[in-house]
């Protein structure tokens, strides 16, 4: 009993230490970035050489790439999860073991593999489209896990009642199971979007770095996370520290808004 209380107190202490560290980092980013967070900063292009001034293309690139990756991976992940939870016969098929390894793989390795296949073999350009493919490959096993968890949370009695009324298994999945799991599925989409918005390493090698005003899916382009990396490592702007902090504030705000919207929509479905 005493050992359980000690572990409970230790867990609370570690949580408070982690929370304090997060608050300190967040406060530092806000204090350094808030003065530069102006409408001009949000609506203008960055300087091609120095990297400072604005982040409009980075905002567009982040939104487009994350949105397209979700459009690709959400239905694919749901279909695999439906097979795993509703149709599979074996307890632990090989696909599940591969997915576990896929989730644990460093994203830079996945980015290099996508670069080798898409750019090296199929001669795709380093571009937003190639970066979107990298995000889709990174996000797919995560979407499968989210979908499996959501579908697995639907009570078995729902399925039994539907089948007892004469519905087929496919009709039960489409008309009963998936609608019942809509809330956690939508919330999971928000978490997946937030996760992809913070990706940088894989996108550096697949989407590249470009702040040109000539935007296109087949042109290179950087996201907010990659822009932060560029400012901190390669940027020559005088206020690059403040600009990177302001970009971090925008990224955190974007992630927070996405999570909030997904949770609100999920509650509506509940």
């Amino acid at each position: 009993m005493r050992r359980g209380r000690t572990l409970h107190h230790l867990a609370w202490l570690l949580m408070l230490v982690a929370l304090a560290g997060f608050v300190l980092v967040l406060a530092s980013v806000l204090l350094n970035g808030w003065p530069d967070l102006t409408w001009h900063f949000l609506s203008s292009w960055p300087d091609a050489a120095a990297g400072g001034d604005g982040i409009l293309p980075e905002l567009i690139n982040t939104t487009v790439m994350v949105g397209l990756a979700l459009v690709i991976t959400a239905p694919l992940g749901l279909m695999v999860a439906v097979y795993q939870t509703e149709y599979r016969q074996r307890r632990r098929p090989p696909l599940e073991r591969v997915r576990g390894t896929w989730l644990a793989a460093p994203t830079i390795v996945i980015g290099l593999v996508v670069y080798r296949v898409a750019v090296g073999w199929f001669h795709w350009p380093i571009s937003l489209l190639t970066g979107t493919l990298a995000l889709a490959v990174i996000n797919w096993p995560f979407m499968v896990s989210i979908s499996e968890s959501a579908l697995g949370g639907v009570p078995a009695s729902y399925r039994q009642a539907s089948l007892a009324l004469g519905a087929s298994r496919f009709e039960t999945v489409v008309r009963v199971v998936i609608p019942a799991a809509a809330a956690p599925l939508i919330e999971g989409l928000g978490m997946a979007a937030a996760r992809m918005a913070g990706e940088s390493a894989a996108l550096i090698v697949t989407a590249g770095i470009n702040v040109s005003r000539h935007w296109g899916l087949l042109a290179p382009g950087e996201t907010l996370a990659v822009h932060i990396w560029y400012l901190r490592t390669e940027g020559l702007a005088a206020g690059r520290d403040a600009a990177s902090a302001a970009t971090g504030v925008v990224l955190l705000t974007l992630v927070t808004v996405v999570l909030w919207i997904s949770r609100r929509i999920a509650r509506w479905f509940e």
Side-chain angles (χ1 to χ4, degrees):
M1 187 71 175
R2 186 174 299 174
R3 182 179 296 178
R5 289 182 179 178
T6 302
L7 292 175
H8 179 74
H9 293 156
L10 180 61
W12 270 100
L13 178 62
L14 293 175
M15 185 185 70
L16 290 176
V17 170
L19 181 61
F22 173 74
V23 170
L24 287 175
V25 172
L26 182 61
S28 175
V29 172
L30 288 173
L31 290 175
N32 291 328
W34 190 260
D36 280 20
L37 200 59
T38 62
W39 176 250
H40 175 75
F41 180 75
L42 296 174
S43 60
S44 61
W45 263 254
D47 183 84
D53 203 17
I55 58 169
L56 179 60
E58 285 75 18
L59 272 172
I60 297 173
N61 294 342
T62 302
T63 304
V64 170
M65 292 173 68
V66 171
L68 288 177
L70 279 180
V71 169
I72 296 170
T73 56
L76 291 177
L78 181 59
M79 285 190 290
V80 172
V82 166
Y83 169 75
Q84 295 279 76
T85 58
E86 307 296 329
Y87 290 95
R88 73 178 181 182
Q89 300 297 324
R90 298 179 60 184
R91 187 171 183 84
R92 186 174 171 82
L95 179 62
E96 190 171 338
R97 292 193 289 269
V98 171
R99 177 164 54 88
T101 305
W102 200 329
L103 274 170
T107 57
I108 181 60
V109 175
I110 296 176
L112 291 172
V113 171
V114 172
Y115 174 87
R116 177 61 178 170
V117 173
V119 179
W121 294 358
F122 294 99
H123 304 292
W124 285 24
I126 295 178
S127 61
L128 298 183
L129 191 60
T130 309
T132 299
L133 177 61
L135 285 182
V137 174
I138 291 169
N139 188 57
W140 176 78
F142 186 67
M143 283 305 308
V144 174
S145 297
I146 289 174
S147 301
E148 278 189 359
S149 177
L151 297 176
V154 177
S157 59
Y158 286 27
R159 299 172 176 83
Q160 295 167 359
S162 176
L163 294 172
L165 291 172
S168 66
R169 180 176 293 186
F170 178 78
E171 290 173 332
T172 299
V173 170
V174 173
R175 298 183 179 181
V176 177
V177 178
I178 293 178
L185 283 173
I186 292 171
E187 194 165 349
L189 283 176
M191 290 189 292
R195 182 172 178 262
M196 287 189 290
E199 178 58 45
S200 58
L203 297 182
I204 293 172
V205 297
T206 55
I209 301 170
N210 181 35
V211 294
S212 172
R213 294 177 182 268
H214 302 289
W215 186 91
L217 283 176
L218 296 179
E222 59 186 18
T223 60
L224 291 170
V226 174
H227 188 61
I228 294 173
W229 168 85
Y230 179 77
L231 287 172
R232 298 295 301 176
T233 58
E234 305 292 336
L236 302 176
R240 66 175 188 174
D241 292 341
S244 62
T247 307
V249 173
V250 174
L251 180 57
L252 286 173
T253 303
L254 180 63
V255 167
T256 303
V257 169
V258 168
L259 291 175
W260 181 82
I261 291 175
S262 66
R263 286 171 184 169
R264 295 292 294 181
I265 297 175
R267 287 180 183 177
W268 183 78
F269 272 92
E270 287 176 350

Coordinates of all heavy atoms in Angstrom, one line a residue, residues 178-242:
I178 N -19.2 2.6 -38.0 CA -18.5 3.8 -38.3 C -19.2 5.1 -37.8 O -18.6 5.9 -37.2 CB -18.2 3.9 -39.8 CG1 -17.3 2.8 -40.3 CG2 -17.7 5.3 -40.2 CD1 -17.0 2.8 -41.8
P179 N -20.5 5.2 -37.9 CA -21.2 6.4 -37.3 C -21.0 6.4 -35.8 O -20.9 7.5 -35.2 CB -22.7 6.2 -37.7 CG -22.6 5.4 -39.0 CD -21.5 4.5 -38.8
A180 N -21.1 5.2 -35.2 CA -20.9 5.2 -33.7 C -19.5 5.6 -33.3 O -19.3 6.1 -32.2 CB -21.2 3.8 -33.2
A181 N -18.5 5.4 -34.2 CA -17.1 5.7 -33.9 C -16.7 7.1 -34.4 O -15.5 7.4 -34.4 CB -16.2 4.7 -34.4
A182 N -17.7 7.9 -34.9 CA -17.4 9.1 -35.6 C -16.6 10.1 -34.7 O -15.7 10.8 -35.1 CB -18.7 9.8 -36.2
A183 N -17.1 10.2 -33.4 CA -16.5 11.2 -32.5 C -15.0 11.0 -32.3 O -14.1 11.9 -32.5 CB -17.2 11.3 -31.2
P184 N -14.6 9.8 -31.9 CA -13.1 9.5 -31.7 C -12.4 9.6 -33.1 O -11.2 9.9 -33.1 CB -13.0 8.2 -31.1 CG -14.3 7.5 -31.4 CD -15.3 8.6 -31.4
L185 N -13.0 9.2 -34.2 CA -12.3 9.3 -35.5 C -12.0 10.7 -35.8 O -10.9 11.1 -36.3 CB -13.2 8.7 -36.5 CG -13.3 7.2 -36.6 CD1 -14.3 6.7 -37.6 CD2 -11.9 6.6 -36.9
I186 N -13.0 11.6 -35.6 CA -12.7 13.1 -35.9 C -11.7 13.7 -35.0 O -10.8 14.4 -35.4 CB -14.1 13.8 -35.8 CG1 -15.0 13.4 -36.9 CG2 -13.8 15.3 -35.9 CD1 -16.4 13.9 -36.8
E187 N -11.7 13.3 -33.7 CA -10.7 13.8 -32.8 C -9.3 13.3 -33.2 O -8.3 14.0 -33.1 CB -11.1 13.4 -31.4 CG -10.3 14.2 -30.3 CD -10.9 14.0 -28.9 OE1 -12.0 13.6 -28.8 OE2 -10.2 14.4 -28.0
G188 N -9.3 12.0 -33.6 CA -8.0 11.5 -34.1 C -7.5 12.2 -35.3 O -6.3 12.3 -35.5
L189 N -8.4 12.6 -36.2 CA -7.9 13.4 -37.4 C -7.3 14.7 -36.9 O -6.2 15.1 -37.5 CB -9.1 13.7 -38.3 CG -9.7 12.6 -39.2 CD1 -10.9 13.1 -39.9 CD2 -8.6 12.1 -40.2
G190 N -7.8 15.3 -35.9 CA -7.2 16.5 -35.4 C -5.8 16.3 -34.9 O -4.8 17.0 -35.1
M191 N -5.6 15.2 -34.1 CA -4.3 14.8 -33.6 C -3.3 14.5 -34.7 O -2.2 14.9 -34.6 CB -4.5 13.7 -32.6 CG -5.2 14.0 -31.3 SD -5.1 12.7 -30.1 CE -6.1 11.4 -30.9
A192 N -3.8 13.8 -35.7 CA -2.9 13.5 -36.9 C -2.5 14.7 -37.6 O -1.3 14.9 -38.0 CB -3.7 12.5 -37.8
A193 N -3.4 15.7 -37.8 CA -3.1 16.9 -38.4 C -2.0 17.7 -37.6 O -1.1 18.3 -38.2 CB -4.3 17.8 -38.6
A194 N -2.2 17.8 -36.3 CA -1.3 18.5 -35.4 C 0.1 17.8 -35.5 O 1.1 18.5 -35.5 CB -1.8 18.5 -34.0
R195 N 0.1 16.5 -35.5 CA 1.4 15.7 -35.6 C 2.1 16.0 -36.9 O 3.3 16.3 -36.9 CB 1.1 14.3 -35.5 CG 2.3 13.3 -35.5 CD 1.8 11.9 -35.1 NE 2.9 11.0 -35.2 CZ 3.2 10.2 -36.2 NH1 2.4 10.2 -37.3 NH2 4.2 9.3 -36.1
M196 N 1.4 16.1 -38.0 CA 2.0 16.3 -39.3 C 2.5 17.8 -39.4 O 3.5 18.1 -40.1 CB 1.1 16.0 -40.4 CG 0.9 14.5 -40.6 SD 0.0 14.1 -42.1 CE -1.6 14.7 -41.7
A197 N 1.7 18.7 -38.8 CA 2.1 20.1 -38.9 C 3.5 20.4 -38.3 O 4.2 21.3 -38.7 CB 1.1 21.0 -38.3
G198 N 3.9 19.6 -37.3 CA 5.2 19.8 -36.7 C 6.3 19.0 -37.3 O 7.4 19.1 -36.8
E199 N 6.1 18.2 -38.4 CA 7.1 17.5 -39.0 C 8.1 18.4 -39.8 O 7.7 19.3 -40.4 CB 6.5 16.4 -39.9 CG 7.5 15.6 -40.7 CD 8.4 14.8 -39.8 OE1 7.9 14.3 -38.8 OE2 9.6 14.9 -40.0
S200 N 9.3 18.1 -39.7 CA 10.3 18.9 -40.4 C 11.4 18.1 -41.1 O 11.7 18.3 -42.3 CB 11.0 19.9 -39.4 OG 11.6 19.2 -38.4
A201 N 12.0 17.1 -40.4 CA 13.1 16.4 -41.0 C 12.8 15.8 -42.3 O 13.6 15.9 -43.3 CB 13.6 15.4 -40.0
A202 N 11.7 15.0 -42.4 CA 11.4 14.3 -43.7 C 11.1 15.3 -44.8 O 11.3 15.0 -46.0 CB 10.2 13.4 -43.4
L203 N 10.5 16.5 -44.4 CA 10.1 17.5 -45.4 C 11.3 18.2 -46.0 O 11.3 18.8 -47.1 CB 9.1 18.4 -44.9 CG 7.8 17.8 -44.4 CD1 6.8 18.9 -43.9 CD2 7.1 17.0 -45.6
I204 N 12.4 18.3 -45.2 CA 13.6 19.0 -45.7 C 14.1 18.3 -46.9 O 14.5 19.0 -47.9 CB 14.6 19.1 -44.6 CG1 14.1 20.1 -43.5 CG2 16.0 19.7 -45.2 CD1 15.0 20.1 -42.3
V205 N 14.1 17.0 -46.9 CA 14.7 16.2 -48.0 C 13.7 16.0 -49.1 O 14.1 15.6 -50.3 CB 15.3 14.9 -47.5 CG1 16.4 15.2 -46.6 CG2 14.2 14.0 -46.9
T206 N 12.4 16.1 -48.9 CA 11.4 15.7 -49.9 C 10.7 17.0 -50.5 O 10.4 17.0 -51.7 CB 10.3 14.8 -49.3 OG1 9.7 15.4 -48.2 CG2 10.9 13.5 -49.0
A207 N 10.4 18.0 -49.6 CA 9.7 19.2 -50.1 C 10.7 20.3 -50.4 O 10.4 21.2 -51.1 CB 8.6 19.6 -49.1
G208 N 11.8 20.2 -49.7 CA 12.9 21.3 -49.9 C 12.6 22.6 -49.2 O 11.7 22.7 -48.4
I209 N 13.3 23.6 -49.6 CA 13.2 24.9 -49.1 C 13.1 25.9 -50.2 O 13.9 26.0 -51.0 CB 14.4 25.3 -48.2 CG1 14.5 24.2 -47.0 CG2 14.3 26.7 -47.6 CD1 15.8 24.4 -46.3
N210 N 12.0 26.7 -50.2 CA 11.8 27.6 -51.3 C 10.8 28.7 -50.8 O 9.7 28.4 -50.2 CB 11.2 27.0 -52.5 CG 11.0 27.9 -53.7 OD1 11.8 28.9 -53.8 ND2 10.0 27.7 -54.5
V211 N 11.1 29.9 -51.0 CA 10.2 31.0 -50.6 C 9.9 31.9 -51.8 O 9.5 33.0 -51.7 CB 10.9 31.9 -49.5 CG1 11.1 31.2 -48.3 CG2 12.3 32.5 -50.0
S212 N 9.9 31.3 -53.0 CA 9.6 32.0 -54.2 C 8.1 32.3 -54.3 O 7.3 31.6 -53.7 CB 9.9 31.1 -55.4 OG 9.5 31.7 -56.6
R213 N 7.8 33.4 -55.0 CA 6.4 33.8 -55.1 C 5.7 32.9 -56.2 O 4.5 33.0 -56.3 CB 6.3 35.3 -55.5 CG 6.8 36.2 -54.4 CD 6.8 37.6 -54.9 NE 7.3 38.5 -53.9 CZ 6.6 39.1 -52.9 NH1 5.3 38.9 -52.9 NH2 7.1 39.9 -52.0
H214 N 6.4 32.1 -56.9 CA 5.8 31.2 -57.9 C 5.4 29.9 -57.2 O 6.2 28.9 -57.1 CB 6.7 31.0 -59.0 CG 7.2 32.2 -59.7 ND1 6.3 33.0 -60.5 CD2 8.4 32.9 -59.7 CE1 6.9 34.0 -61.0 NE2 8.2 34.0 -60.5
W215 N 4.2 29.8 -56.6 CA 3.8 28.7 -55.8 C 3.2 27.6 -56.7 O 2.6 27.9 -57.8 CB 2.7 29.1 -54.8 CG 2.3 28.1 -53.9 CD1 2.8 27.8 -52.7 CD2 1.2 27.1 -54.1 NE1 2.2 26.7 -52.1 CE2 1.2 26.3 -52.9 CE3 0.3 26.8 -55.1 CZ2 0.3 25.2 -52.8 CZ3 -0.6 25.8 -55.0 CH2 -0.6 25.0 -53.8
G216 N 3.4 26.4 -56.4 CA 2.8 25.3 -57.1 C 3.1 24.0 -56.4 O 4.1 23.8 -55.7
L217 N 2.2 23.0 -56.7 CA 2.4 21.7 -56.0 C 3.7 21.0 -56.5 O 4.3 20.1 -55.8 CB 1.2 20.8 -56.3 CG -0.1 21.0 -55.5 CD1 -1.2 20.1 -56.0 CD2 0.2 20.9 -54.0
L218 N 4.2 21.3 -57.7 CA 5.4 20.7 -58.2 C 6.6 21.5 -58.0 O 7.7 21.3 -58.6 CB 5.2 20.4 -59.7 CG 4.1 19.4 -60.1 CD1 4.0 19.2 -61.6 CD2 4.4 18.0 -59.4
A219 N 6.5 22.6 -57.2 CA 7.6 23.4 -56.8 C 8.0 23.2 -55.4 O 7.2 22.8 -54.5 CB 7.2 24.9 -57.0
P220 N 9.3 23.4 -55.0 CA 9.7 23.2 -53.6 C 9.0 24.2 -52.7 O 8.6 25.3 -53.2 CB 11.2 23.5 -53.7 CG 11.6 23.3 -55.1 CD 10.4 23.7 -55.9
G221 N 8.9 23.9 -51.5 CA 8.3 24.8 -50.5 C 8.5 24.3 -49.1 O 8.5 23.1 -48.9
E222 N 8.6 25.2 -48.2 CA 8.8 24.9 -46.8 C 7.6 25.1 -46.0 O 6.8 26.0 -46.3 CB 10.0 25.7 -46.2 CG 9.8 27.2 -46.3 CD 11.1 27.9 -45.8 OE1 12.1 27.3 -45.8 OE2 10.9 29.1 -45.5
T223 N 7.4 24.3 -44.9 CA 6.3 24.5 -44.0 C 6.8 25.4 -42.8 O 7.9 25.8 -42.8 CB 5.8 23.1 -43.5 OG1 7.0 22.5 -42.8 CG2 5.4 22.2 -44.6
L224 N 5.9 25.6 -41.9 CA 6.2 26.4 -40.7 C 7.3 25.8 -39.9 O 8.3 26.5 -39.5 CB 5.0 26.6 -39.9 CG 3.9 27.5 -40.5 CD1 2.6 27.4 -39.6 CD2 4.3 29.0 -40.6
A225 N 7.2 24.5 -39.7 CA 8.3 23.8 -38.9 C 9.6 23.8 -39.6 O 10.7 24.1 -39.0 CB 7.9 22.3 -38.7
V226 N 9.6 23.6 -41.0 CA 10.9 23.7 -41.7 C 11.4 25.1 -41.7 O 12.7 25.3 -41.7 CB 10.7 23.2 -43.1 CG1 11.9 23.4 -44.0 CG2 10.3 21.7 -43.1
H227 N 10.5 26.1 -41.8 CA 11.0 27.5 -41.8 C 11.7 27.8 -40.4 O 12.7 28.6 -40.4 CB 9.8 28.4 -42.0 CG 10.1 29.9 -42.1 ND1 10.9 30.3 -43.2 CD2 9.8 31.0 -41.4 CE1 11.1 31.6 -43.1 NE2 10.4 32.0 -42.0
I228 N 11.2 27.3 -39.3 CA 11.8 27.5 -38.1 C 13.2 26.9 -38.1 O 14.2 27.6 -37.6 CB 11.0 26.9 -36.9 CG1 9.7 27.6 -36.8 CG2 11.8 26.9 -35.6 CD1 8.7 27.0 -35.8
W229 N 13.4 25.7 -38.6 CA 14.7 25.1 -38.7 C 15.6 26.0 -39.6 O 16.8 26.2 -39.3 CB 14.6 23.7 -39.3 CG 15.9 23.1 -39.7 CD1 16.8 22.5 -39.0 CD2 16.5 23.2 -41.0 NE1 17.9 22.1 -39.7 CE2 17.7 22.5 -41.0 CE3 16.1 23.8 -42.3 CZ2 18.6 22.4 -42.1 CZ3 16.9 23.6 -43.3 CH2 18.2 23.0 -43.2
Y230 N 15.1 26.5 -40.7 CA 15.9 27.3 -41.6 C 16.4 28.6 -41.0 O 17.5 28.9 -41.1 CB 15.1 27.6 -42.9 CG 15.9 28.4 -43.9 CD1 16.8 27.9 -44.7 CD2 15.6 29.8 -44.0 CE1 17.5 28.6 -45.6 CE2 16.3 30.6 -44.9 CZ 17.3 30.0 -45.7 OH 18.0 30.7 -46.6
L231 N 15.5 29.2 -40.3 CA 15.8 30.5 -39.6 C 16.9 30.2 -38.5 O 17.9 31.0 -38.4 CB 14.6 31.1 -38.9 CG 13.6 31.8 -39.9 CD1 12.4 32.2 -39.1 CD2 14.2 33.0 -40.6
R232 N 16.8 29.1 -37.8 CA 17.8 28.9 -36.8 C 19.1 28.4 -37.3 O 20.1 28.4 -36.5 CB 17.2 27.8 -35.8 CG 15.9 28.3 -35.1 CD 16.1 29.5 -34.2 NE 17.1 29.2 -33.1 CZ 17.5 30.1 -32.3 NH1 17.1 31.3 -32.3 NH2 18.4 29.7 -31.3
T233 N 19.2 27.8 -38.5 CA 20.4 27.2 -38.9 C 21.1 27.9 -40.1 O 22.3 28.1 -40.2 CB 20.2 25.8 -39.3 OG1 19.2 25.7 -40.3 CG2 19.8 24.9 -38.1
E234 N 20.2 28.4 -41.1 CA 20.7 29.0 -42.3 C 20.4 30.4 -42.5 O 20.9 31.1 -43.4 CB 20.2 28.2 -43.5 CG 20.5 26.7 -43.5 CD 22.0 26.4 -43.6 OE1 22.7 27.2 -44.2 OE2 22.5 25.3 -43.1
G235 N 19.4 30.9 -41.8 CA 18.9 32.3 -42.0 C 19.9 33.3 -41.7 O 20.7 33.2 -40.8
L236 N 19.9 34.4 -42.5 CA 20.8 35.5 -42.3 C 20.1 36.8 -41.8 O 20.8 37.8 -41.7 CB 21.5 35.8 -43.6 CG 22.3 34.6 -44.2 CD1 22.9 35.0 -45.6 CD2 23.4 34.2 -43.3
A237 N 18.8 36.7 -41.6 CA 18.1 37.9 -41.1 C 18.6 38.4 -39.8 O 18.9 37.6 -38.9 CB 16.6 37.7 -41.1
A238 N 18.6 39.7 -39.6 CA 19.1 40.3 -38.3 C 18.2 39.8 -37.1 O 18.8 39.5 -36.1 CB 19.1 41.8 -38.4
G239 N 16.9 39.7 -37.3 CA 16.0 39.3 -36.2 C 15.6 37.9 -36.4 O 14.4 37.6 -36.1
R240 N 16.5 37.0 -36.8 CA 16.0 35.6 -37.0 C 15.5 34.9 -35.8 O 14.7 34.1 -35.8 CB 17.2 34.8 -37.7 CG 18.4 34.6 -36.8 CD 19.4 33.7 -37.5 NE 20.5 33.3 -36.6 CZ 21.4 32.5 -36.9 NH1 21.4 31.9 -38.1 NH2 22.4 32.2 -36.0
D241 N 16.1 35.2 -34.6 CA 15.7 34.6 -33.4 C 14.2 35.0 -33.1 O 13.4 34.1 -32.7 CB 16.6 35.0 -32.2 CG 18.0 34.4 -32.3 OD1 18.1 33.4 -33.1 OD2 18.9 34.9 -31.7
A242 N 13.9 36.3 -33.2 CA 12.5 36.7 -32.9 C 11.6 36.2 -34.0 O 10.5 35.8 -33.7 CB 12.5 38.2 -32.9

